[in-house]
Structures are given as structure tokens and as C-alpha cells.
Amino acid sequence: MFLNCIEQLLRRKIVLTAVVATAVFLGFYWWGVSAASSIEFNPGNDSADPVMSMLGSADAALAAIITAGPLAATLITALMIVIGSTMLPEEIGQGRMSFWLSLPQSRLRVFLSTSLAPLAVSFALSLILFAGIFVITRIYFPFSPRSIPMVLISMLIWLASVWASVTLLSLIVKKVASMLITFFLAAVASMFGGVYEMMKMFPGDAPDALVTVTRVIMYVFPADRGYRGVIYGMIPKEAVITENLAFFGVTAAVPPAHLIYAAFWSIVLLGLGYWKFRSMDF
Amino acid sequence: MNKEPLVQVKKIFKSYQKVQALRDFSLIVKPGMIFSLLGPNGAGKTTLMKILLGIVKYDSGTVHIVNFPVSSPLSRKSVRYLPEYLTFPSWVTPKVLMRQLERIRHESSMHDFIQRCIELECVDLMNRSMGKMSRGQRQRVALSLVTTGQPKLVLLDEPSTGLDPGGRIMVRNLIKKLASNGSTILINSHLLGEVELVCDTAAFINKGRLIAEGGIDSLSRQTGLAFVETEKTAEMHEALENAGYSCRIEDKGVLVQLTDPSAFREFTRIVLKTGIIFSALTLKRESLEDVFLRIMEDSNLEDDIVS
């Protein structure tokens, strides 16, 4: 059943479009990074600009990654939301769900197979995209990543958070509404994820209300924590620019508790989705 | 043959919010039957069929298929279902669909499927995408898919939808063949003429209740209409009118209204007395459509009295 759903997803124009967009994105990224690679770094050269004299190729790699990261994340999030919000509603609307359920398989298996397929496709495309960014960057600006396992785990948690949310919503509201709500939550979570990092940089300066709102949003939709984990795992160890100094703190470490919470939250939402699916008549 | 009930429905209730779809509904279907669910739109036939497959949850009661509760996937191991509305993705071909079903059922059925497609004259569509097929062609493919193998129970919801007369005959023959091979068939159809030709047993459902059940022959009553098959229709018509009967000439005979079915013996004597040669003399029975209308009318009347 899972393979059938994957087969079906791979035939969809939206997935094909995302694959083409990924290839085009990586092509442009390659072009941009190769053009930027002509910069000459002279660490320790006092005659140059004092800031520039401190930077090395690892810092250029850091800049390239944190520039490309949000764009790549937007593409993958959009794909995840679109295919995640349509998979179950389409099978139900076209009358296929009753056919699948009439076969000798449990509801849990049908639910997981159908809903896991969008996660698997998005994860695969995300791997290709971020691996492409990583490889292209390393070719022109050699560096060592902080933690590849961190990238993989965080990526799965990031996508699972979006997926669990859109899957549950697609069973409760119309698919367009589920898309819009998840897009909105993803955008707000990304913005407040940055605000959270800034607040860590300047502790005590943030208004209490902002602190509260930021925390609530992090609890309500923790996808941003996973995304920041991806970027943290990818960026160079050797970069001179240290944690929290980069734009919106995207180079800051993500506490493991945040990732564990996001994973737990995804499982709870998926459980709620199954609870809803289990009680549905088709 | 094992005559343990294949389908056992005991006192089930099902409601959709404020609408009571099934009320205190019980039914037993034995192996080898070609069983039809009949009733007006919204009577609860499709709901019952979906309850048998575990697709729709019921509020109370028990439902077993092949001795397994319908909540268990094992109850669907040798059950096949053709929904009334089923739209496959436009890219998929019958061959790909069969492969997908093989993966789920963990069995190899491609050879049987091809044989069934030959039988239903759709084997040339094996590699054509569903989006490029007519409604009738898709229905033939869907029927081939769900009747492949040796299912114990086949549930068909409006199986003749979109089929031309040739296709309907093929479906009838297929149903009879499946039943002769030991499958039990449960059909939900509004085409009473089709049902009458193929089913041996029927259950009439109205407003979620089972109002009549039994063999189609036993449900149909004698009508009080007699038919005299003769080539000399004009002479027979005149002779019977002179004998005081109300009658009319039909193709290859004369249709006569008797006072009641018990008057048939006397009528036979009168026909013989006319001396006109006739080839057959039959007392007409209700068609399934007549049975349906009578049973539904009685049921509605009963409901009106109760309310």
C-alpha cells in the first residue's frame, strides 16, 4: 500500500514540478557559489578590511548555506503542505478509500501508508536539495560540517512536524484551508523562531508579552526547531562567525529537548489524525 | 458444501447524526447464494454493504463475515468489493492496478486477471491508462479486478453501471459463473430486471429496516392474470369475451383477467371447451418490479399507521 501511494505521488505534476524546481534551484546555486568563489581570503592580513581579514572560506560557506537554506526550506515546506493536504482527501473524495479499506488490511496500515508517502517523498527531495547545497558549497569553499547526523535527524523532525499538522488538518477542514493554516503556522513559527534566537542574544530586553507569544508559538508549531537543527548541523565548524552572531541566530545550536518535543508533538498530532480517520465512515 | 452462514448480521443499528440509516437489522446469507439488496434510494443498502466491509462503523449489534468480526482484516481476506463510485487515477493502467492489488493481497493473480479480462472483453485495455477509457470500459476493468481469484464473497454495488446491453449480459453470466464456482454474491442494484434474471434471493430494505426476505419465486405472488398462448388470438379473444371474461389480445396470445387465482381451474375448463387450439395456458406471477412496489407500498402504509 505504501509503495502504491509512493508510485501515485511520483506521477503527480506537483512532485514533478518540485523535482524540476530543485534541479533549477541547485543550478542557480552552483552558478552563484562558483561566481562568489573568486573572493580571496587573507586571514590575518592586517592591511585588508579588519573584519574581512578575519574571515576564511568556511565563513563564505556559512554565508552561502544560510542564504540558500530558507529558500530551500520554503520549497520543501510548500511541497510537503500541498501533497500532504491532498493525499488523504483525494483518496476519500475519489471513492478509492472505501476500496482500499475493503482489502484485507487494517485501518492503521491504510492510514499510515497513505499519509507516510508524502513525508517520504518530501524527505527524499529535501535530502537531495540540502545534499546538493552541501556538496556545491564544499566544492568551492572547503569546510567540515558540524554534524551530519544532526542534519538528518533534524530534517526528519522538521518535515514530520509540518506533515503531522497538515495531515491532521486535512481530515478536519477542507484541503485548501488545511494548506493555508499550515502555511501560516510555518511562516509564523519561522519568524518567531528568529525572534527567540534574538531574545537569547539579548536576554532581559524582550517584553514579557513577546516572550510569552514566542514560547507559545514554539510549543504550538515546533517545525522551526527542526529546520534550525538542519542548518546548525550543516554549517562549518571552522567558521569565525560564531553562534548567535549570524542573521537571526540561524547558526545557534538547537537544544535536544526542543527536537525531542517536536518529535513527540508530531507523534501526538499523527495519533489524533488516526483517531479521526478511525472513526470516519467512507 | 459448508452451509454455515457466510454473512451474519445481528440487530445492528447505524445512524448518521439525526438520520437512522439501519434499525434493528438482522440478515443471514448462506454460501452459494446470489443475494440482492433491494430498496428505494436512502433505504440503507449501501450502508449495509459498507458495514459488511468495515468501511462504515455501526453503532450497536454484531456483524461477522466468514466467522470473523468485520473489525478484523481477516474478514476481508476472501471478500471482493466493487463500489458504486470508484475513480482510479487517470495515469494508472489495469496491469499496474492489478500489481498494486497483488502487493496488498500478497498473492499472484495476474494470470487470473487476464483470463477475466478476456471473459469481459477488456483484455485489449490492459496497458491503456484509465483516463483514456470510457465509463463502460472502466467498469469492465473494475469488475475484472474485483472478481479475480476464488473469492468467497463478492459485493457488487450497481455492477451494471455504464455498461451496454452486451456488457450487462456478460456481467450476468459472470455472476452466475462465480456462484457456480462457490462464490456468494451480494448485489445492490436498482435494475430490477437484471436482478430478477440473476438473483435467487432478495432482501427488501426500507427506511433502514428489513421488511421482507426470501427466494424471489416465493416472494412473487400469483397475479390473477392468465395467458393463453395461441395462434388464433382473435377467435380465442371472442370466445372468452362471450364466456364473460375481460381480456385483451397480446403478441402470440390472449391475456385474461380472472376474479382471483383460484378461478384458474374453472378458466382452464372454459378454454378447453372453446375447442380452439392453444399451445400453453399459464397463470402469471408478479415480476420483481411488482413485488418491489407492493412490498414498499405495504411498508409505507404500515409506517403511516404506526406513526
Side-chain angles (χ1 to χ4, degrees), chain A residues 154-196:
Chain A
S154 301
M155 191 181 285
L156 191 60
I157 290 170
W158 160 44
L159 292 175
S161 306
V162 179
W163 162 72
S165 165
V166 80
T167 299
L168 173 63
L169 284 168
S170 73
L171 290 170
I172 298 170
V173 294
K174 301 246 181 227
K175 64 181 177 187
V176 175
S178 69
M179 277 185 216
L180 291 175
I181 294 170
T182 317
F183 264 124
F184 172 77
L185 287 172
V188 168
S190 175
M191 184 178 81
F192 278 92
V195 171
Y196 173 77

Short mmCIF file of all heavy atoms in Angstrom, two decimals, chain A residues 154-196:
data_model
loop_
_atom_site.label_atom_id
_atom_site.label_comp_id
_atom_site.label_asym_id
_atom_site.label_seq_id
_atom_site.Cartn_x
_atom_site.Cartn_y
_atom_site.Cartn_z
N SER A 154 17.27 16.21 12.37
CA SER A 154 16.50 17.46 12.41
C SER A 154 15.60 17.60 11.19
O SER A 154 14.47 18.10 11.29
CB SER A 154 17.44 18.67 12.47
OG SER A 154 18.25 18.58 13.59
N MET A 155 16.11 17.16 10.05
CA MET A 155 15.32 17.25 8.82
C MET A 155 14.04 16.42 8.93
O MET A 155 12.95 16.86 8.57
CB MET A 155 16.16 16.75 7.63
CG MET A 155 15.54 17.05 6.28
SD MET A 155 16.56 16.41 4.95
CE MET A 155 17.89 17.59 4.93
N LEU A 156 14.23 15.23 9.48
CA LEU A 156 13.07 14.34 9.65
C LEU A 156 12.06 14.96 10.62
O LEU A 156 10.85 14.96 10.36
CB LEU A 156 13.54 12.98 10.14
CG LEU A 156 12.50 11.87 10.12
CD1 LEU A 156 11.98 11.63 8.72
CD2 LEU A 156 13.09 10.58 10.68
N ILE A 157 12.58 15.55 11.69
CA ILE A 157 11.68 16.16 12.69
C ILE A 157 10.99 17.39 12.12
O ILE A 157 9.78 17.58 12.32
CB ILE A 157 12.48 16.48 13.98
CG1 ILE A 157 12.85 15.17 14.68
CG2 ILE A 157 11.69 17.40 14.91
CD1 ILE A 157 13.83 15.31 15.82
N TRP A 158 11.75 18.20 11.41
CA TRP A 158 11.18 19.40 10.77
C TRP A 158 10.03 19.02 9.84
O TRP A 158 8.91 19.54 9.96
CB TRP A 158 12.31 20.12 10.02
CG TRP A 158 11.87 21.08 8.95
CD1 TRP A 158 10.85 22.00 9.04
CD2 TRP A 158 12.41 21.19 7.64
NE1 TRP A 158 10.75 22.68 7.85
CE2 TRP A 158 11.69 22.22 6.98
CE3 TRP A 158 13.45 20.56 6.97
CZ2 TRP A 158 11.98 22.60 5.67
CZ3 TRP A 158 13.74 20.95 5.67
CH2 TRP A 158 13.01 21.95 5.02
N LEU A 159 10.30 18.08 8.93
CA LEU A 159 9.27 17.69 7.96
C LEU A 159 8.11 16.96 8.64
O LEU A 159 6.96 17.14 8.27
CB LEU A 159 9.88 16.82 6.85
CG LEU A 159 10.85 17.57 5.93
CD1 LEU A 159 11.49 16.62 4.95
CD2 LEU A 159 10.13 18.68 5.18
N ALA A 160 8.45 16.15 9.64
CA ALA A 160 7.38 15.41 10.34
C ALA A 160 6.43 16.37 11.04
O ALA A 160 5.22 16.12 11.09
CB ALA A 160 8.00 14.44 11.34
N SER A 161 6.96 17.48 11.56
CA SER A 161 6.10 18.45 12.24
C SER A 161 5.10 19.06 11.26
O SER A 161 3.92 19.17 11.55
CB SER A 161 6.93 19.58 12.86
OG SER A 161 7.92 19.06 13.70
N VAL A 162 5.62 19.44 10.09
CA VAL A 162 4.73 20.03 9.06
C VAL A 162 3.74 18.98 8.59
O VAL A 162 2.54 19.24 8.46
CB VAL A 162 5.57 20.56 7.87
CG1 VAL A 162 4.66 21.14 6.79
CG2 VAL A 162 6.58 21.59 8.33
N TRP A 163 4.24 17.77 8.35
CA TRP A 163 3.43 16.67 7.82
C TRP A 163 2.30 16.27 8.78
O TRP A 163 1.14 16.15 8.37
CB TRP A 163 4.37 15.48 7.55
CG TRP A 163 3.73 14.15 7.40
CD1 TRP A 163 2.99 13.71 6.35
CD2 TRP A 163 3.80 13.06 8.31
NE1 TRP A 163 2.60 12.42 6.56
CE2 TRP A 163 3.07 12.00 7.75
CE3 TRP A 163 4.41 12.88 9.56
CZ2 TRP A 163 2.95 10.77 8.39
CZ3 TRP A 163 4.28 11.66 10.18
CH2 TRP A 163 3.55 10.63 9.60
N ALA A 164 2.66 16.12 10.05
CA ALA A 164 1.64 15.69 11.02
C ALA A 164 0.54 16.74 11.12
O ALA A 164 -0.65 16.41 11.19
CB ALA A 164 2.29 15.47 12.38
N SER A 165 0.95 18.00 11.08
CA SER A 165 -0.02 19.08 11.19
C SER A 165 -0.96 19.10 9.98
O SER A 165 -2.18 19.15 10.13
CB SER A 165 0.75 20.41 11.30
OG SER A 165 -0.10 21.47 11.09
N VAL A 166 -0.38 19.05 8.78
CA VAL A 166 -1.21 19.15 7.58
C VAL A 166 -2.06 17.89 7.40
O VAL A 166 -3.20 17.97 6.92
CB VAL A 166 -0.33 19.48 6.34
CG1 VAL A 166 0.36 18.26 5.76
CG2 VAL A 166 -1.18 20.14 5.26
N THR A 167 -1.56 16.75 7.83
CA THR A 167 -2.34 15.50 7.71
C THR A 167 -3.57 15.57 8.60
O THR A 167 -4.68 15.28 8.17
CB THR A 167 -1.46 14.29 8.10
OG1 THR A 167 -0.35 14.24 7.22
CG2 THR A 167 -2.23 12.98 7.99
N LEU A 168 -3.35 16.00 9.85
CA LEU A 168 -4.49 16.11 10.78
C LEU A 168 -5.51 17.14 10.27
O LEU A 168 -6.70 16.87 10.22
CB LEU A 168 -3.98 16.51 12.18
CG LEU A 168 -5.07 16.83 13.20
CD1 LEU A 168 -5.94 15.62 13.49
CD2 LEU A 168 -4.46 17.34 14.51
N LEU A 169 -4.98 18.31 9.85
CA LEU A 169 -5.89 19.36 9.39
C LEU A 169 -6.69 18.94 8.16
O LEU A 169 -7.85 19.28 8.01
CB LEU A 169 -5.10 20.64 9.09
CG LEU A 169 -4.66 21.43 10.32
CD1 LEU A 169 -3.64 22.50 9.95
CD2 LEU A 169 -5.85 22.08 11.01
N SER A 170 -6.03 18.16 7.27
CA SER A 170 -6.72 17.76 6.03
C SER A 170 -7.91 16.83 6.32
O SER A 170 -8.78 16.67 5.47
CB SER A 170 -5.74 17.09 5.06
OG SER A 170 -5.40 15.80 5.52
N LEU A 171 -7.90 16.21 7.51
CA LEU A 171 -9.03 15.35 7.88
C LEU A 171 -10.14 16.11 8.60
O LEU A 171 -11.22 15.60 8.80
CB LEU A 171 -8.53 14.20 8.78
CG LEU A 171 -7.67 13.15 8.11
CD1 LEU A 171 -7.05 12.23 9.14
CD2 LEU A 171 -8.45 12.35 7.09
N ILE A 172 -9.81 17.33 9.00
CA ILE A 172 -10.78 18.11 9.78
C ILE A 172 -11.42 19.21 8.93
O ILE A 172 -12.62 19.42 8.98
CB ILE A 172 -10.10 18.72 11.03
CG1 ILE A 172 -9.57 17.60 11.93
CG2 ILE A 172 -11.07 19.60 11.80
CD1 ILE A 172 -8.69 18.08 13.04
N VAL A 173 -10.57 19.91 8.15
CA VAL A 173 -11.11 21.01 7.34
C VAL A 173 -10.86 20.71 5.86
O VAL A 173 -10.22 19.72 5.52
CB VAL A 173 -10.43 22.36 7.73
CG1 VAL A 173 -10.80 22.75 9.12
CG2 VAL A 173 -8.92 22.29 7.55
N LYS A 174 -11.36 21.57 4.99
CA LYS A 174 -11.16 21.38 3.54
C LYS A 174 -9.68 21.50 3.23
O LYS A 174 -8.93 22.15 3.95
CB LYS A 174 -11.92 22.46 2.77
CG LYS A 174 -13.40 22.45 3.05
CD LYS A 174 -14.17 22.07 1.82
CE LYS A 174 -15.64 22.08 2.08
NZ LYS A 174 -16.34 20.95 1.61
N LYS A 175 -9.27 20.85 2.11
CA LYS A 175 -7.83 20.77 1.86
C LYS A 175 -7.18 22.14 1.67
O LYS A 175 -6.05 22.36 2.12
CB LYS A 175 -7.52 19.82 0.70
CG LYS A 175 -8.02 20.20 -0.64
CD LYS A 175 -7.65 19.12 -1.64
CE LYS A 175 -8.24 19.45 -3.00
NZ LYS A 175 -8.06 18.39 -3.97
N VAL A 176 -7.89 23.07 1.02
CA VAL A 176 -7.30 24.41 0.82
C VAL A 176 -7.10 25.09 2.18
O VAL A 176 -6.06 25.71 2.43
CB VAL A 176 -8.19 25.26 -0.12
CG1 VAL A 176 -7.65 26.68 -0.24
CG2 VAL A 176 -8.28 24.62 -1.50
N ALA A 177 -8.09 24.93 3.04
CA ALA A 177 -7.97 25.53 4.38
C ALA A 177 -6.81 24.90 5.15
O ALA A 177 -6.06 25.60 5.82
CB ALA A 177 -9.27 25.33 5.15
N SER A 178 -6.65 23.58 5.02
CA SER A 178 -5.54 22.92 5.73
C SER A 178 -4.19 23.40 5.21
O SER A 178 -3.24 23.58 5.98
CB SER A 178 -5.65 21.39 5.61
OG SER A 178 -5.42 20.97 4.29
N MET A 179 -4.12 23.67 3.90
CA MET A 179 -2.87 24.20 3.32
C MET A 179 -2.58 25.58 3.88
O MET A 179 -1.46 25.86 4.34
CB MET A 179 -3.03 24.35 1.79
CG MET A 179 -2.80 23.12 0.99
SD MET A 179 -2.89 23.58 -0.76
CE MET A 179 -3.66 22.14 -1.42
N LEU A 180 -3.60 26.44 3.84
CA LEU A 180 -3.39 27.83 4.27
C LEU A 180 -3.03 27.91 5.75
O LEU A 180 -2.12 28.64 6.13
CB LEU A 180 -4.66 28.66 4.00
CG LEU A 180 -4.96 28.91 2.52
CD1 LEU A 180 -6.30 29.62 2.35
CD2 LEU A 180 -3.85 29.73 1.87
N ILE A 181 -3.71 27.13 6.56
CA ILE A 181 -3.43 27.16 8.01
C ILE A 181 -1.99 26.70 8.26
O ILE A 181 -1.25 27.31 9.02
CB ILE A 181 -4.45 26.28 8.78
CG1 ILE A 181 -5.84 26.88 8.68
CG2 ILE A 181 -4.05 26.16 10.26
CD1 ILE A 181 -6.96 25.97 9.20
N THR A 182 -1.59 25.61 7.59
CA THR A 182 -0.22 25.10 7.83
C THR A 182 0.83 26.08 7.30
O THR A 182 1.86 26.29 7.96
CB THR A 182 -0.05 23.71 7.20
OG1 THR A 182 -1.18 22.92 7.47
CG2 THR A 182 1.19 23.00 7.73
N PHE A 183 0.55 26.68 6.14
CA PHE A 183 1.49 27.69 5.62
C PHE A 183 1.64 28.83 6.63
O PHE A 183 2.74 29.29 6.92
CB PHE A 183 0.97 28.28 4.30
CG PHE A 183 1.54 27.62 3.08
CD1 PHE A 183 0.71 27.07 2.11
CD2 PHE A 183 2.92 27.56 2.86
CE1 PHE A 183 1.21 26.46 0.98
CE2 PHE A 183 3.43 26.95 1.73
CZ PHE A 183 2.58 26.40 0.79
N PHE A 184 0.50 29.28 7.14
CA PHE A 184 0.51 30.38 8.10
C PHE A 184 1.31 30.00 9.34
O PHE A 184 2.18 30.75 9.80
CB PHE A 184 -0.94 30.74 8.46
CG PHE A 184 -1.05 31.73 9.59
CD1 PHE A 184 -0.80 33.08 9.37
CD2 PHE A 184 -1.38 31.31 10.87
CE1 PHE A 184 -0.89 33.98 10.41
CE2 PHE A 184 -1.47 32.21 11.91
CZ PHE A 184 -1.23 33.55 11.69
N LEU A 185 1.02 28.80 9.86
CA LEU A 185 1.73 28.35 11.07
C LEU A 185 3.24 28.24 10.82
O LEU A 185 4.05 28.64 11.66
CB LEU A 185 1.18 27.00 11.53
CG LEU A 185 -0.20 27.01 12.18
CD1 LEU A 185 -0.70 25.58 12.41
CD2 LEU A 185 -0.18 27.76 13.50
N ALA A 186 3.60 27.71 9.63
CA ALA A 186 5.02 27.54 9.29
C ALA A 186 5.71 28.90 9.21
O ALA A 186 6.83 29.08 9.71
CB ALA A 186 5.16 26.78 7.97
N ALA A 187 5.01 29.86 8.61
CA ALA A 187 5.61 31.19 8.46
C ALA A 187 5.77 31.87 9.82
O ALA A 187 6.83 32.43 10.13
CB ALA A 187 4.74 32.04 7.54
N VAL A 188 4.72 31.80 10.63
CA VAL A 188 4.77 32.43 11.95
C VAL A 188 5.84 31.75 12.82
O VAL A 188 6.61 32.42 13.52
CB VAL A 188 3.37 32.35 12.63
CG1 VAL A 188 3.44 32.73 14.10
CG2 VAL A 188 2.39 33.26 11.91
N ALA A 189 5.90 30.43 12.74
CA ALA A 189 6.89 29.69 13.54
C ALA A 189 8.31 30.07 13.12
O ALA A 189 9.21 30.21 13.96
CB ALA A 189 6.68 28.19 13.38
N SER A 190 8.51 30.25 11.82
CA SER A 190 9.84 30.62 11.33
C SER A 190 10.22 32.02 11.85
O SER A 190 11.34 32.23 12.32
CB SER A 190 9.81 30.60 9.79
OG SER A 190 11.02 31.06 9.30
N MET A 191 9.25 32.93 11.77
CA MET A 191 9.54 34.30 12.22
C MET A 191 9.84 34.32 13.73
O MET A 191 10.84 34.89 14.17
CB MET A 191 8.34 35.20 11.92
CG MET A 191 8.58 36.65 12.25
SD MET A 191 7.18 37.66 11.84
CE MET A 191 6.11 37.39 13.22
N PHE A 192 8.99 33.66 14.50
CA PHE A 192 9.20 33.69 15.95
C PHE A 192 10.39 32.82 16.38
O PHE A 192 10.94 33.04 17.44
CB PHE A 192 7.90 33.32 16.68
CG PHE A 192 6.97 34.47 16.80
CD1 PHE A 192 6.00 34.69 15.84
CD2 PHE A 192 7.09 35.36 17.85
CE1 PHE A 192 5.14 35.78 15.93
CE2 PHE A 192 6.23 36.45 17.95
CZ PHE A 192 5.26 36.66 16.98
N GLY A 193 10.76 31.88 15.51
CA GLY A 193 11.99 31.13 15.78
C GLY A 193 13.18 32.07 15.76
O GLY A 193 14.09 31.98 16.61
N GLY A 194 13.16 33.02 14.81
CA GLY A 194 14.22 34.03 14.74
C GLY A 194 14.16 34.96 15.93
O GLY A 194 15.18 35.30 16.54
N VAL A 195 12.93 35.36 16.30
CA VAL A 195 12.75 36.25 17.46
C VAL A 195 13.30 35.57 18.71
O VAL A 195 13.98 36.20 19.53
CB VAL A 195 11.24 36.60 17.64
CG1 VAL A 195 11.00 37.34 18.95
CG2 VAL A 195 10.76 37.44 16.46
N TYR A 196 13.07 34.28 18.84
CA TYR A 196 13.54 33.52 20.00
C TYR A 196 15.08 33.58 20.09
O TYR A 196 15.65 33.79 21.16
CB TYR A 196 13.06 32.07 19.90
CG TYR A 196 13.62 31.15 20.95
CD1 TYR A 196 13.10 31.17 22.24
CD2 TYR A 196 14.66 30.27 20.65
CE1 TYR A 196 13.63 30.32 23.21
CE2 TYR A 196 15.18 29.43 21.61
CZ TYR A 196 14.66 29.45 22.88
OH TYR A 196 15.18 28.62 23.85
#
